[in-house]
């Protein structure tokens, strides 16, 4: 038998108006015997119509989406919309408060925890609730990511190659409507347990993003998120108005195979030799890694595995063996 989720919303999902509240998840612990994790949520509804589920903070240190959705929750009025917008800006709320990718409570990586468990860890309980109670309500789902503390990306919206081509086309159209500077057909090396995977399996129109990173954000990147979210809501028929599509947006990128990823095979001091957004040719020097413990050694050199654009780079100044050093994506046009 399917277990009941311990999470209860403090606001209604089916009433018109703006409702700010919480998903209340009981969590008994040393500093709060009968305490709860209170995950902020906003539901804005105006009559019958499509529902968009907007999520950020799936990873707690990815700030572009977090900032944009906190902002939107305070600004969007029911008079502007038809249907419903569910805003969950800090999905893995304990991770967000801890400024970390994963939860400090159970080390749970929410984006590897789906479908989750009603009687599992705190992170598994969040996954279970979102999948069983929020995703079924939605016609379109947008999950905003960026690189967090360890990666930095050129700003792109992304979808996956799907078996169902009708669904894939819906997702691609929504991705294009978002109008990020880049649009990516994304390859996942590790898709088991991802929110993306379960939402796509539920047949929903799903768009994700990587909008920057480095464990902070910039005005430009937040503006890309703000614009994209509004464009997506217009595309979904929820928000009225004209989409804002800059001329230079929507450069199409592809990650056709695992050859796009460059993993570090040495640890030490990281020297990027190319920057994000730069075009490279196969064999170009893209980074050096120096032995951090002595001078005078020969650095390990990393070469571009293919022609393309530097879409992602390792962010911190130190790097470990096995870290993602860079992603070289293929530019396939507009
Ligand atoms: Zn993420």
């Amino acid at each position: 038998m399917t277990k009941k989720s311990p999470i209860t919303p403090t606001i209604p999902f089916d009433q018109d108006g703006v409702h700010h509240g919480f998903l209340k998840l009981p969590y008994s612990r040393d500093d709060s015997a009968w305490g709860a994790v209170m995950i902020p949520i906003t539901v804005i509804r105006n009559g019958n119509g499509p529902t968009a589920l907007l999520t950020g903070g799936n990873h707690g240190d990815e700030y572009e989406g977090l900032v944009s959705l906190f902002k939107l929750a305070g600004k969007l009025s029911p008079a502007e919309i038809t249907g419903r917008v569910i805003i969950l800006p800090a999905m893995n709320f304990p991770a967000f408060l801890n400024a970390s990718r994963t939860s400090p409570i159970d080390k749970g990586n929410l984006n590897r925890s789906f479908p989750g468990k009603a009687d599992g860890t705190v992170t598994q309980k969040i996954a279970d609730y979102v999948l069983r109670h929020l995703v079924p309500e939605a016609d379109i789902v947008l999950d905003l990511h960026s690189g967090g503390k360890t990666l930095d990306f050129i700003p792109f919206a992304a979808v996956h190659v799907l078996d169902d081509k009708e669904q894939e086309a819906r997702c691609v159209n929504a991705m294009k409507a978002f109008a990020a500077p880049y649009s990516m057909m994304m390859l996942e090396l590790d898709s088991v347990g991802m929110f993306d995977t379960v939402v796509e399996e539920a047949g929903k129109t799903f768009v994700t993003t990587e909008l920057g990173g480095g464990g902070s954000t910039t005005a430009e990147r937040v503006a890309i998120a703000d614009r994209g979210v509004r464009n997506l809501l217009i595309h979904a028929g929820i928000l009225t108005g004209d989409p804002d599509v800059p001329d230079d947006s929507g450069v199409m990128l592809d990650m056709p195979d695992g050859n796009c990823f460059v993993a570090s095979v040495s640890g030490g001091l990281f020297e990027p030799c190319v920057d994000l957004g730069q075009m490279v040719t196969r064999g170009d020097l893209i980074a050096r890694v120096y032995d951090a413990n002595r001078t005078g050694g020969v650095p390990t050199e990393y070469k571009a595995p293919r022609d393309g654009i530097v879409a992602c780079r390792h962010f911190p100044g130190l790097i470990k063996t096995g870290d993602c050093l860079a992603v070289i994506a293929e530019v396939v046009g507009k």
Side-chain angles (χ1 to χ4, degrees), residues 59 62 101 111 145-146 210:
H59 294 127
E62 299 177 356
R101 181 174 181 82
N111 213 27
H145 287 254
S146 53
E210 298 290 356

Side-chain angles (χ1 to χ4, degrees), residues 25 83 104 112 161 168 184 188 213 252 261 281 286 305 320:
L25 164 53
R112 298 294 182 279
V161 175
E168 183 185 294
M184 174 84 86
E188 300 290 351
M252 286 294 298
F261 296 86
T281 303
I286 58 169
K320 303 181 299 299

Side-chain angles (χ1 to χ4, degrees), residues 39-119:
I39 305 164
I41 185 169
T42 293
V43 178
I44 301 161
R45 184 179 185 273
N46 183 17
N48 293 320
T51 292
L53 172 61
L54 309 177
T55 54
N58 189 341
H59 294 127
D61 63 349
E62 299 177 356
Y63 293 103
E64 287 76 6
L66 277 155
V67 172
S68 188
L69 294 184
F70 267 93
K71 233 163 94 177
L72 184 73
K75 268 193 350 200
L76 189 63
S77 93
E80 292 178 272
I81 69 165
T82 304
R84 187 170 51 168
V85 182
I86 302 172
I87 305 173
L88 193 60
M91 191 150 57
N92 194 348
F93 188 64
F96 164 59
L97 285 189
N98 195 50
S100 55
R101 181 174 181 82
T102 63
S103 175
I105 297 173
D106 52 29
K107 292 291 167 203
N109 178 347
L110 182 57
N111 213 27
R112 298 294 182 279
S113 299
F114 287 89
K117 271 171 90 172
D119 59 354

Side-chain angles (χ1 to χ4, degrees), residues 3 5 18 27 31 40 42 64 80 84 89 103 106 117 136 201 209 236 243 246 257 271 279 284 295 309 321 331:
K3 292 202 169 65
S5 173
V18 180
Y27 172 48
D31 69 341
T42 293
E64 287 76 6
E80 292 178 272
R84 187 170 51 168
S103 175
D106 52 29
K117 271 171 90 172
E201 282 171 0
T209 66
D257 56 51
E271 178 193 3
M279 299 300 298
D284 284 355
T295 52
I309 186 170
T321 300
V331 179

